[in-house]
Amino acid sequence: MKIGNIDLGYRPIMLAPMEDVTDPSFRLICKEQGADMVYTEFVSADALIRNVNSTTRKLFIDPAERPAAIQIYGKELEPMVEAARIAEAAKPDVLDINFGCPVKKVASKGAGSGMLRNVPLLLEITRAIVDAVKIPVTVKTRLGWDCENKIIVDLAEQLQDCGIQALTIHGRTRSQMYTGEADWTLIGEVKRNPRMKIPIIGNGDITTPEKLVEYFDRYGVDGIMVGRASIGAPWIFREMKHYMATGERLQIAASEKMALLRRQIDESIDRIDEYRGILHIRRHLAASPLFKGIANFRSTRIAMLQANSRADLEAILTQVEKTML
C-alpha cells in the first residue's frame, strides 16, 4: 500500500490519532512495536494559526517514528488552509484531515464529524488543502452523521475527486460516538467500488490479532488503523504483526510489557513534569490489559490511579509485578 510515494508495505497497521494519547513517546513506542505509520494528536487549525504553544508542540515528529502524519481539524476554509501550510512546514510525511471526531465540543461546532452535515464545505476545504500543500493529503471520517445519513460510499468518491491520496473510514456514524459495534460493511462497499483507486483504511473495534486478519480478509481494505486497543498496550502492534506472519499468537512476558509502561511513565514525566506527566499517563494505566485478571486488584488499581509522584507509582508497580511472577 502506498500513500503518494510512501510505501507502507502489504497490509499495514497504523496507530490512530487520539487526543491526549498519541504523544511523541507513545507514537515512537508503537512504531518500535510494529506500527507501520503513526498519527499525531488532533491539531486545531484555529489554535495553530494563533500560535498556541500547547498546539504547536503537537507538530513535533521524532525522525525515528516516521512515516508520521499530522492531523488537523477545523470548520472554516481559510484557517484550515493556513493551518495546513503551517503543518506542512513541520515536515510530516502526510497531512491528514479530521472529518470524523465525534466529541461534542468539536462536532457541535461544525468541525470533525460535524463537517458531515455540510458536505459542500467539507469538499471545498479538502480541495483547497490539496492545492495548498505539496505533501500527500489524506482524510479520516465516519459512515455519516447518523443512521439515516450514511453517506460514505458517495462521499468517498467525492473525496477522491478532490485529490486525497488515502481515506480512512471509522465504521460508526457520529451519533453512535464509540457505542455499539463498528459496522464495516460500508467500508467494504467503498473498497469494492471500481471507481475507487486510492487506498482504503478501515478503523473501528480492531482489538485482537485474529480480528485484524479476519477483517483484512473479509473486507479487502488496504490498511487497518488501530486506536483504543493500543491504549496501555503498545505491544499490540507486535502481536498483530507476528500473527499476520505466522498465524500464531505471540507470547510477550508480563515483565516486558511492564517495562514499556514504565518507559511511558518516565518519558511522560520528562516531557511535561512529574504531576502533569502522571496525570497524562493515567489513561494508559487505567486501560491496560496487563492488569486484568489480577485477584483483588481493585484497591491497588485505585492507588495506582491516584498516585501523584513517580516514586509512589513505581512502588505500586513493583508490588504489582511481584504478584504477576
Side-chain angles (χ1 to χ4, degrees):
M1 172 185 147
K2 286 187 174 182
I3 299 179
N5 293 322
I6 304 165
D7 191 345
L8 299 175
Y10 179 63
R11 290 186 167 181
I13 312 170
M14 289 90 154
L15 171 65
M18 293 176 283
E19 184 66 9
D20 293 326
V21 174
T22 53
D23 59 75
S25 170
F26 186 64
R27 297 196 306 264
L28 182 54
I29 291 172
C30 289
K31 176 68 176 178
E32 293 170 356
Q33 292 293 308
D36 293 293
M37 186 167 177
V38 299
Y39 290 68
T40 66
E41 301 171 76
F42 314 147
V43 176
S44 163
D46 292 338
L48 192 57
I49 62 178
R50 294 200 312 271
N51 200 31
V52 175
N53 286 337
S54 60
T55 298
T56 57
R57 282 198 297 268
K58 293 180 180 180
L59 301 181
F60 171 78
I61 294 173
D62 188 307
E65 65 182 273
R66 293 182 182 277
I70 290 175
Q71 187 187 73
I72 62 172
Y73 74 91
K75 63 178 182 177
E76 296 178 329
L77 177 63
E78 291 185 6
M80 283 288 280
V81 170
E82 185 177 350
R85 292 192 176 108
I86 295 170
E88 182 185 31
K91 302 189 182 305
D93 299 283
V94 169
L95 179 67
D96 192 64
I97 308 173
N98 181 320
F99 293 139
C101 178
V103 175
K104 184 177 180 180
K105 68 179 182 180
V106 174
S108 65
K109 295 179 181 178
S113 60
M115 292 296 303
L116 292 167
R117 304 180 81 177
N118 190 347
V119 172
L121 178 58
L122 180 156
L123 297 174
E124 184 181 8
I125 288 173
T126 303
R127 279 192 296 269
I129 289 176
V130 169
D131 291 341
V133 302
K134 295 181 173 60
I135 58 176
V137 175
T138 61
V139 163
K140 186 172 189 287
T141 189
R142 290 187 165 224
L143 303 179
W145 177 258
D146 54 31
C147 291
E148 287 70 46
N149 294 280
K150 293 183 178 180
I151 62 173
I152 190 59
V153 175
D154 290 336
L155 180 62
E157 288 192 24
Q158 295 171 305
L159 285 166
Q160 178 176 255
D161 291 344
C162 289
I164 68 168
Q165 298 194 43
L167 173 64
T168 301
I169 305 169
H170 182 103
R172 289 182 174 88
T173 62
R174 187 273 165 181
S175 63
Q176 288 179 274
M177 300 292 286
Y178 294 102
T179 62
E181 186 175 351
D183 178 5
W184 281 58
T185 55
L186 289 180
I187 300 176
E189 188 174 334
V190 171
K191 178 57 192 172
R192 291 190 299 272
N193 181 351
R195 276 213 69 233
M196 297 303 299
K197 307 301 181 185
I198 60 174
I200 302 300
I201 302 160
N203 176 227
D205 293 351
I206 302 301
T207 55
T208 66
E210 292 84 357
K211 194 168 186 180
L212 176 96
V213 171
E214 177 191 348
Y215 276 40
F216 263 129
D217 291 342
R218 181 185 299 180
Y219 298 105
V221 291
D222 300 285
I224 284 180
M225 188 174 281
V226 176
R228 288 175 293 164
S230 69
I231 302 175
W235 52 81
I236 195 171
F237 294 99
R238 187 172 157 200
E239 293 175 334
M240 288 176 166
K241 286 288 188 176
H242 182 84
Y243 188 82
M244 289 175 67
T246 68
E248 297 178 354
R249 270 276 192 165
L250 177 66
Q251 299 302 317
I252 303 175
S255 59
E256 188 173 350
K257 294 177 179 179
M258 186 69 83
L260 288 173
L261 292 182
R262 281 192 170 101
R263 175 179 165 190
Q264 282 187 252
I265 293 166
D266 289 339
E267 292 182 357
S268 180
I269 291 171
D270 292 344
R271 182 173 62 90
I272 312 173
D273 58 47
E274 185 170 44
Y275 178 72
R276 291 182 300 156
I278 288 174
L279 287 179
H280 173 74
I281 212 66
R282 282 178 181 169
R283 177 177 296 191
H284 293 269
L285 296 174
S288 182
L290 181 59
F291 307 116
K292 290 181 179 178
I294 299 177
N296 304 313
F297 188 68
R298 184 174 183 274
S299 60
T300 303
R301 184 178 188 273
I302 292 172
M304 180 175 68
L305 298 181
Q306 290 180 343
N308 290 319
S309 72
R310 191 195 312 241
D312 289 347
L313 189 52
E314 174 56 31
I316 294 168
L317 293 179
T318 298
Q319 190 61 38
V320 170
E321 196 166 21
K322 289 179 181 178
T323 68
M324 300 168 65
L325 297 177

